[in-house]
Amino acid sequence: VLSQEQAWKLAHPEDRASIEAAAALALDPAVRATASTEHRIVRPDGELRWVHWRGRAIFDETSDPPRPTRLIGALMDITERKRAEQALAERNAQLLLAGTAAGVGSYTLDIPTRRIQISPGYAAIFGFPAETTDISWDEWRDRVDREDLPRLDQRREESFATRSPQHRAEYRIVRPDGEVRWIESRSLIAYDERGQAQRTIGVKIDITERKRAEE
């Protein structure tokens, strides 16, 4: 059995405000919310653990207004899940830095809606704002060099007509600052049961330095 003071000391100091806010809503007779938080605790041995707390208040309905008499609930140890989430976030950050530094970006094109989901590396290559995650087909075409568009359109239509599972192309883009960059595009194409192209998933690779060396 722990006293309220002992239990409170286990809560990480930085998380106590969120715990208090959740408990206040649960103890308010006009709200009676179910309290739910994910917070850290520091065990007596110094080990840091993550827990999910969920609880609700019991009220004395004979008083006016009803008075909270108990706060009941359960704690679930979610430390391993939190560690996995942190490891995934760190890995994604590493991939983001690696992709941006290497000039590689990934994308997914939904052909019926003509919307493209892009990675930060893709945004960096094409000169879109860093926070951009979604662009239209026309926004992509606006970046492509006018001389290269007809050739790209023809090759793409040929790939779709033959139901090719892959598509590859090299072309130039003109960034908003006027800089011309060379792009290598590698894509996988998904078709529906009628053979209509529905989705392409792939990468865009900045090959400008290679092209300059070849020239």
Side-chain angles (χ1 to χ4, degrees):
V1 178
L2 291 178
S3 67
Q4 182 177 346
E5 182 180 358
Q6 289 173 317
W8 186 244
K9 286 182 178 179
L10 295 176
H12 193 285
E14 294 180 4
D15 295 342
R16 290 174 183 172
S18 63
I19 299 171
E20 285 183 325
L25 291 176
L27 295 170
D28 187 335
V31 180
R32 304 194 186 198
T34 298
S36 181
T37 66
E38 291 186 358
H39 61 272
R40 293 161 292 178
I41 62 170
V42 182
R43 291 160 42 110
D45 60 5
E47 182 183 6
L48 182 71
R49 307 292 294 183
W50 275 93
V51 296
H52 177 203
W53 170 57
R54 187 176 177 86
R56 63 184 182 88
I58 303 297
F59 292 86
D60 178 4
E61 303 294 348
T62 63
S63 63
D64 187 20
R67 180 176 58 86
T69 58
R70 302 176 71 186
L71 187 62
I72 63 174
L75 282 177
M76 179 182 298
D77 190 321
I78 58 171
T79 305
E80 296 309 315
R81 193 198 83 194
K82 283 291 185 179
R83 287 174 178 169
E85 290 174 352
Q86 182 178 0
L88 179 60
E90 291 174 353
R91 188 183 69 175
N92 288 341
Q94 291 169 354
L95 292 174
L96 166 59
L97 292 173
T100 302
V104 179
S106 59
Y107 77 98
T108 300
L109 164 64
D110 184 78
I111 296 173
T113 64
R114 299 167 72 88
R115 301 300 302 181
I116 308 174
Q117 303 297 315
I118 65 173
S119 72
Y122 186 115
I125 293 171
F126 281 76
F128 290 107
E131 67 276 9
T132 306
T133 59
D134 178 274
I135 62 174
S136 69
W137 175 256
D138 290 336
E139 286 177 298
W140 168 75
R141 289 178 66 86
D142 286 343
R143 293 284 201 273
V144 178
D145 189 287
R146 298 298 99 183
E147 294 182 2
D148 293 348
L149 269 176
R151 174 174 54 84
L152 284 179
D153 289 340
Q154 180 181 356
R155 292 196 61 183
R156 184 177 59 257
E157 292 305 319
E158 289 173 353
S159 295
F160 291 171
T162 59
R163 299 186 185 179
S164 173
Q166 299 183 35
H167 179 73
R168 185 169 178 173
E170 292 183 2
Y171 59 91
R172 292 165 295 176
I173 63 169
V174 182
R175 290 160 51 96
D177 59 6
E179 182 184 10
V180 176
R181 308 292 296 181
W182 273 95
I183 304 299
E184 179 181 343
S185 177
R186 302 179 185 179
S187 309
L188 299 176
I189 310 171
Y191 300 87
D192 63 16
E193 63 279 0
R194 298 172 298 168
Q196 300 296 312
Q198 296 295 306
R199 202 172 183 85
T200 61
I201 301 173
V203 295
K204 305 288 187 181
I205 307 169
D206 189 328
I207 58 171
T208 306
E209 298 308 317
R210 191 193 82 192
K211 283 291 186 179
R212 289 172 179 169
E214 290 174 356
E215 292 173 358

